Amino acid sequence: MKQQLESILNSALAEIEVAKTSEDIENIKLNYLSRKGTLNSIKKNLKDLSVEDKRIVGSLANEVAQTLESKLAEKSSEIYRIELAAKLESEKIDVTLTGSAHQVGRVNPLTSTINEIVEIFQGLGFSVMANENSPECETEYVNFDMLNFPPDHPAKDMQDTFYTNVAPNVILRSQTSGAQIREMFTSKPPIRVICPGRVYRCESVSARKNNLFHQIEGLLIDNNITFGDLKGVLNEFIRIYFGEARPTRFRNSFFPFTEPSAEVDVQCIMCGGKGCRVCSGTGWLEILGAGMVDVNVLKNVGIDPEVYSGFAFGMGVERLAMLKYAIDDIRLFFNNDVRFLKQF
Ligand code: PHE
């Protein structure tokens, strides 16, 4: 048995000597030192020996095991070092190589224009209407009827309004003014809100018109509100938005839901009022529609017109962005051409 142990030791040492990988080391451990390994099978036979021999062979077996363990540990740390060096070498990266550049995205000019306008009105005491009061898919009832449009109004015609097949009276809103109705139904005066959002019109697309565009609606209802308040708010807005007090013109106009109504022009940004291609020679550019909320509309939503009055306005975001950034084609906002978008 002593000889057997010695030959086990020698063959194990020889195997350790030529081991090259940590896997080799594991195999040697398994073959010689594990529960099912060679050394253990020797120990199992000890029971057949005399007490004296048991002691001698037993301690020899332990010695062999210790020797093997320490040799294995030595060899495995050597192999670890070699393997690590090889791994480091093979996974080496050149940190001086130039990286690939990432394109940084930008805020779309329409979004930044909306944000800017919203901030101006917030500064004037308006807050942004809750989203649930401003659905893009709207009923004819809210978009037209409650806003005092007579049943046969041409704006309801198929040419202007997108009808859906959700239900006969469900449309894509043609204006954000319906949000006024929803707001007045759900809150009591004083009301001071703005509502930015998408609107849809069934029109042929051109440099000036798109099927989809954005409006910002404003509504203010309180005691003793006059047209003077409307002019003051809008003039202040124009001054802040264009960075200077531009000449404005409140032109008499008509909307079913406001009386009196006005369309507001600013002096042409391009020609300073002399007349050019952009303002079609008039020297003026229309930027919004506005007026005092019609008594019929107040009655429709249960607000007493003897106690309260107010004004509303609606402006086209694309229009305002085009004027500010001298953009001459509305389609540029929607084509996703990075050469255009990169400029903002
Ligand atoms: N909704 C009108 C339009 O789309 C604009 C408007 C809003 C006019 C509010 C008056 C008051 O043309």
Side-chain angles (χ1 to χ4, degrees):
M1 266 183 149
K2 250 174 103 179
Q3 273 169 359
Q4 233 180 317
L5 278 170
E6 258 157 32
S7 84
I8 289 171
L9 178 64
N10 288 336
S11 76
L13 287 176
E15 282 182 38
I16 293 171
E17 187 63 35
V18 298
K20 290 212 158 49
T21 64
S22 39
E23 214 184 337
D24 292 345
I25 296 289
E26 284 309 309
N27 283 334
I28 297 169
K29 274 189 196 164
L30 212 65
N31 291 338
Y32 291 95
L33 295 170
S34 69
R35 214 155 47 81
K36 288 188 177 154
T38 336
L39 265 181
N40 232 15
S41 61
I42 297 257
K43 283 187 189 165
K44 273 184 202 144
N45 295 330
L46 285 177
K47 61 179 185 321
D48 304 330
L49 297 179
S50 65
V51 178
E52 178 67 358
D53 284 351
K54 251 188 214 165
R55 203 181 53 76
I56 298 172
V57 178
S59 79
L60 190 61
N62 284 340
E63 254 173 58
V64 169
Q66 272 169 19
T67 314
L68 287 183
E69 263 160 22
S70 77
K71 286 279 174 200
L72 279 167
E74 217 173 87
K75 187 71 180 187
S76 93
S77 70
E78 185 184 314
I79 287 174
Y80 173 75
R81 262 182 276 118
I82 292 169
E83 285 182 343
L84 183 65
K87 195 166 183 224
L88 287 176
E89 182 61 29
S90 73
E91 291 176 5
K92 198 158 76 177
I93 51 168
D94 182 354
V95 292
T96 65
L97 272 180
T98 46
S100 51
H102 286 274
Q103 296 255 359
V104 179
R106 287 160 209 251
V107 178
N108 183 284
L110 283 180
T111 307
S112 59
T113 302
I114 290 172
N115 291 345
E116 193 183 343
I117 295 173
V118 165
E119 264 175 46
I120 294 173
F121 282 106
Q122 282 172 334
L124 295 173
F126 289 76
S127 50
V128 178
M129 196 181 287
N131 269 342
E132 61 262 30
N133 274 346
S134 166
E136 285 176 33
C137 209
E138 186 52 282
T139 58
E140 277 188 275
Y141 176 74
V142 170
N143 193 85
F144 295 123
D145 301 343
M146 291 302 282
L147 285 166
N148 203 34
F149 281 72
D152 55 354
H153 195 281
K156 296 175 75 169
D157 199 287
M158 294 294 283
Q159 283 174 14
D160 288 314
T161 304
F162 281 113
Y163 283 74
T164 71
N165 51 15
V166 177
N169 58 348
V170 175
I171 59 168
L172 294 180
R173 67 174 169 195
S174 62
Q175 51 183 357
T176 44
S177 298
Q180 289 182 40
I181 298 297
R182 291 184 177 273
E183 184 67 27
M184 288 187 283
F185 266 141
T186 52
S187 56
K188 290 192 163 53
I191 294 172
R192 239 180 274 118
V193 287
I194 51 164
C195 167
R198 292 193 192 113
V199 300
Y200 302 83
R201 285 188 198 174
C202 187
E203 283 175 321
S204 48
V205 174
S206 69
R208 299 184 45 161
K209 283 179 178 172
N210 200 49
N211 287 162
L212 177 163
F213 58 101
H214 297 75
Q215 286 187 331
I216 295 183
E217 191 81 12
L219 175 70
L220 187 147
I221 309 277
D222 206 342
N223 306 113
N224 307 317
I225 299 300
T226 67
F227 203 92
D229 297 310
L230 170 61
K231 282 186 88 169
V233 166
L234 291 179
N235 279 334
E236 184 62 0
F237 161 73
I238 290 163
R239 186 186 68 80
I240 302 172
Y241 181 76
F242 290 105
E244 58 182 340
R246 293 202 69 80
T248 53
R249 186 168 80 165
F250 283 68
R251 221 171 353 92
N252 178 35
S253 184
F254 174 80
F255 299 102
F257 42 96
T258 49
E259 181 61 35
S261 304
E263 277 170 313
V264 179
D265 301 337
V266 291
Q267 194 183 63
C268 181
I269 316 288
M270 312 296 167
C271 64
K274 288 193 279 295
C276 65
R277 195 178 58 88
V278 175
C279 58
S280 320
T282 63
W284 295 95
L285 295 162
E286 185 201 320
I287 58 163
L288 58 86
M292 302 307 289
V293 178
D294 196 288
V295 168
N296 287 339
V297 173
L298 293 176
K299 285 183 185 159
N300 285 345
V301 295
I303 292 178
D304 185 351
E306 300 293 330
V307 182
Y308 293 106
S309 57
F311 61 76
F313 55 85
M315 53 185 78
V317 176
E318 282 77 1
R319 189 30 103 84
L320 283 161
M322 287 167 85
L323 292 179
K324 187 149 172 172
Y325 301 114
I327 297 165
D328 60 4
D329 193 324
I330 194 171
R331 292 168 292 196
L332 286 165
F333 290 117
F334 304 101
N335 288 347
N336 284 333
D337 183 337
V338 276
R339 289 168 305 178
F340 170 74
L341 297 171
K342 257 181 171 170
Q343 297 173 47
F344 299 92

